[in-house]
Amino acid sequence: MVSHESESGRPPAHQPVPGNPYAQPVPQPPAQPPIPPPPGPQPANSRKRALMVGVGALALVLVGTGVFFVTRGDGDGGEDGSRKPVAQDSRQPERDGRESAPARDGSDDDGGKGTGEAGQIDVNAGRGPGDAKAWLAVNDVKLPGKGGQLLDLWRADGLVAQAEYDEVTAFKAADGTRAWRVRLPGEVCDTPVNPSPDGKVVVAYTTSEARVGAKCNQLQMIDLKTGKKGWHKSLTEHSTLDSTTATHVAISGSTVMVDQDSVAHAYRVRDGKRLFTTKHQREGACFLKGVAGGSALLQVQSCAAGSKSTHGRVRGLDPRTGKVEWVYRSRKGWPVEKVYSVDPLVVTLRSRDDPDKWAVAAVDERGEERSWIDLDGRKEKFDHCTGAGDSGEGVQNCVGAVVAHDTLYLASRPKDTLGPNRIVAFALGTGKAKWSARAGGRQLLPVTDSERDGPGVIVYARPYREMTGRTLFLPADGGKPKVLLKHTAAAQKIEVFMFAGNTLYFDGRLFITPTRLNGRSHGSAGEEGNGRMLSFGP
């Protein structure tokens, strides 16, 4: 699942895989062709993985004077075309697409090797006065031909951590040195948006190699501060209502909730002790759609699907006992799709009668609708999740928005794939737009809220044509954007290939990763497509 801890401790929305806004000047950019779902075997979490990269706009990348077509695999799902690790760990055996059993002591730290310090593109070359200082970690995990997904970004004690394929890796935020990595016996199929307050996560992974219907039925707790593994649990299925074909996890406080189709089990993060189970509700024909965590623990339900009375429900649970504290029932004909924020609750909804129509609802602490933001008929146009669709992740993975200061900051749709857009601020109390802002012809993406520079929102301004990227601050009451970081020109191609699939901002640093890496390198020089994590700081 995806959102990340903000500077104020609240989880902002996960970041998107948008259309590529980067290009050197060309007379007329070529039209963007549609992209079909990737061939070959799909990850285990098949219920919501129809779009693994998350958006069809990842078709064309225009860099310099050349045009590169970015593929998402070699088309046969095999291993023969897998690229070699960039910096092969001398203790790491050659992989054949399957991971051997992890070390018993948990961490597989090898002294920080493999961060791409040798042979990588120098992302600080030609760095000018006032430019941020960047670091780049290149991929050193040998991936199968179908590639591998990169999931949520977490922070803990000066580290930034992330799961990729069958590993969880932490880098030192200051310089990109790898602090530790944990190998798992199979591919990670879901991660929580946020860690527990004491820096622990529980990830779900699969040990199956089935092309269809693989089970996402293994849980592993990892301490992000040390890279040590804790408890492990295998999920069981008792009926079709607790299938593990699609499993999602969410953490709230010291509780992790695991969504097994229509049943959810809650465990204590520290030791894996089961706390409670919520079962399928027959009343109202409601089925569990997903779980969300952070400062609250939520269950999202789909009710009376396919009928005229279809709607959605969101249940707020006590994370210690599972007691339902409140229930929000959406308007008829408007099922709940995604969760922008758990506290205050802000959700997206989609019209049953017109799937292209969507709206946003703000909900109070009693589960009553506070405001309804109708996005039709406005001068600015908006795409649900910035057009990323469902990237195969949980209900918190809707991108392009941040909720803070009783305001929804929402990225508008650019007039064309390469063009600029705006950030529009909506008051949650009234549902009315307060202001909109743009920045020098760049495409903007809200990342997180911030109190560091006063109340406002941190925004990533993507590089465009000859303009390099920026990290900006927009004050809560509107006004001129403030430049926090000027990204280096030498890192621009790396940013292009990453598409800002995942972003995180803390302690004055911006972190960017792709959401997926191919089994083969796909840059002109090879290394642009190998970039795993890019960071800019003062």
Side-chain angles (χ1 to χ4, degrees):
M1 310 179 78
V2 186
S3 230
H4 312 109
E5 184 181 356
S6 69
E7 285 195 310
S8 59
R10 293 185 295 275
H14 179 60
Q15 306 315 316
V17 188
N20 166 47
Y22 322 105
Q24 297 297 332
V26 291
Q28 291 183 347
Q32 172 185 307
I35 289 184
Q42 300 301 303
N45 198 354
S46 60
R47 177 174 66 180
K48 300 170 184 175
R49 293 195 183 273
L51 296 176
M52 286 308 305
V53 180
V55 63
L58 298 188
L60 295 177
V61 181
L62 307 177
V63 185
T65 60
V67 178
F68 304 101
F69 186 79
V70 180
T71 63
R72 292 181 286 180
D74 60 6
D76 61 7
E79 325 303 338
D80 294 341
S82 299
R83 70 170 168 262
K84 300 292 184 182
V86 173
Q88 178 73 34
D89 176 2
S90 60
R91 298 191 306 155
Q92 178 182 337
E94 282 292 316
R95 305 186 185 189
D96 61 358
R98 298 179 297 275
E99 181 54 69
S100 58
R104 295 186 181 274
D105 63 353
S107 174
D108 290 295
D109 179 30
D110 58 3
K113 295 179 182 179
T115 57
E117 293 162 353
Q120 73 178 31
I121 295 173
D122 183 0
V123 291
N124 289 301
R127 179 170 167 257
D131 285 353
K133 188 171 183 179
W135 59 256
L136 170 68
V138 298
N139 182 54
D140 68 341
V141 177
K142 185 177 181 181
L143 301 173
K146 66 185 176 66
Q149 190 174 14
L150 287 90
L151 296 116
D152 297 282
L153 282 165
W154 307 300
R155 57 174 291 191
D157 278 8
L159 304 178
V160 58
Q162 184 182 42
E164 178 198 0
Y165 189 49
D166 54 4
E167 292 190 356
V168 178
T169 308
F171 300 93
K172 293 181 181 179
D175 60 12
T177 301
R178 190 170 66 218
W180 54 258
R181 72 170 161 197
V182 171
R183 299 188 180 102
L184 297 169
E187 183 175 358
V188 177
C189 38
D190 198 61
T191 59
V193 166
N194 52 276
S196 64
D198 60 350
K200 296 179 175 64
V201 294
V202 178
V203 303
Y205 68 93
T206 180
T207 55
S208 172
E209 296 181 16
R211 295 176 66 91
V212 179
K215 305 298 184 182
C216 183
N217 59 1
Q218 304 295 314
L219 300 179
Q220 178 65 61
M221 188 271 275
I222 299 172
D223 188 330
L224 297 181
K225 296 179 181 179
T226 64
K228 300 298 182 182
K229 288 187 287 187
W231 55 270
H232 166 268
K233 191 180 296 291
S234 295
L235 301 175
T236 58
E237 299 181 3
H238 301 284
S239 70
T240 56
L241 293 177
D242 62 354
S243 167
T244 58
T245 301
T247 302
H248 292 300
V249 291
I251 290 177
S252 181
S254 60
T255 298
V256 56
M257 177 163 278
V258 182
D259 159 15
Q260 286 184 231
D261 203 83
S262 291
V263 176
H265 302 289
Y267 305 94
R268 193 159 58 195
V269 173
R270 182 176 72 254
D271 55 14
K273 177 184 177 182
R274 183 183 293 190
L275 300 176
F276 58 87
T277 295
T278 64
K279 298 183 178 179
H280 170 58
Q281 292 180 292
R282 297 184 182 276
E283 179 185 356
C286 293
F287 292 86
L288 184 62
K289 184 175 183 177
V291 292
S295 53
L297 183 62
L298 308 180
Q299 290 183 327
V300 178
Q301 298 176 322
S302 175
C303 304
S307 71
K308 292 184 179 180
S309 60
T310 184
H311 62 282
R313 290 183 185 176
V314 181
R315 307 198 310 164
L317 307 182
D318 183 327
R320 297 164 297 179
T321 66
K323 178 183 177 182
V324 179
E325 299 181 324
W326 52 263
V327 178
Y328 164 65
R329 176 172 176 152
S330 68
R331 300 181 184 186
K332 285 186 179 181
W334 288 87
V336 174
E337 289 283 312
K338 297 282 188 173
V339 176
Y340 275 148
S341 168
V342 299
D343 184 19
L345 177 60
V346 180
V347 298
T348 74
L349 310 97
R350 193 181 294 276
S351 170
R352 172 189 178 274
D353 297 328
D354 184 356
D356 290 331
K357 291 181 63 176
W358 66 287
V360 177
V363 181
D364 66 20
E365 64 276 6
R366 300 182 303 275
E368 300 294 328
E369 188 175 283
R370 186 181 175 201
S371 66
W372 181 272
I373 301 176
D374 188 348
L375 300 173
D376 276 348
R378 293 190 51 83
K379 179 181 179 181
E380 303 93 349
K381 303 300 179 184
F382 301 90
D383 290 319
H384 187 247
C385 303
T386 65
D390 192 327
S391 301
E393 298 168 311
V395 294
Q396 284 183 283
N397 300 109
C398 192
V399 299
V402 166
V403 174
H405 321 110
D406 208 31
T407 301
L408 169 68
Y409 302 95
L410 190 61
S412 71
R413 177 199 303 166
K415 291 184 178 180
D416 58 74
T417 303
L418 304 178
N421 70 336
R422 290 178 176 270
I423 300 294
V424 183
F426 294 90
L428 295 182
T430 64
K432 304 294 184 182
K434 299 194 297 185
W435 51 263
S436 68
R438 60 189 304 170
R442 291 179 174 87
Q443 199 168 112
L444 305 178
L445 174 71
V447 175
T448 185
D449 66 316
S450 175
E451 305 296 338
R452 182 181 179 130
D453 295 275
V457 61
I458 302 298
V459 174
Y460 173 46
R462 301 185 180 97
Y464 179 52
R465 298 184 184 274
E466 72 282 356
M467 298 185 292
T468 59
R470 295 283 189 271
T471 302
L472 307 175
F473 168 77
L474 278 174
D477 57 357
K480 184 178 180 181
K482 176 184 177 182
V483 177
L484 301 179
L485 298 170
K486 295 181 179 179
H487 301 183
T488 60
Q492 186 166 350
K493 286 186 179 181
I494 300 295
E495 290 186 70
V496 168
F497 279 91
M498 286 185 171
F499 299 104
N502 301 294
T503 57
L504 177 66
Y505 180 87
F506 70 92
D507 293 343
R509 297 196 68 93
L510 180 71
F511 302 84
I512 305 169
T513 82
T515 56
R516 191 166 184 82
L517 287 171
N518 286 334
R520 292 175 177 173
S521 153
H522 52 247
S524 60
E527 293 177 345
E528 290 90 344
N530 275 328
R532 172 177 177 168
M533 186 178 297
L534 177 64
S535 180
F536 299 96

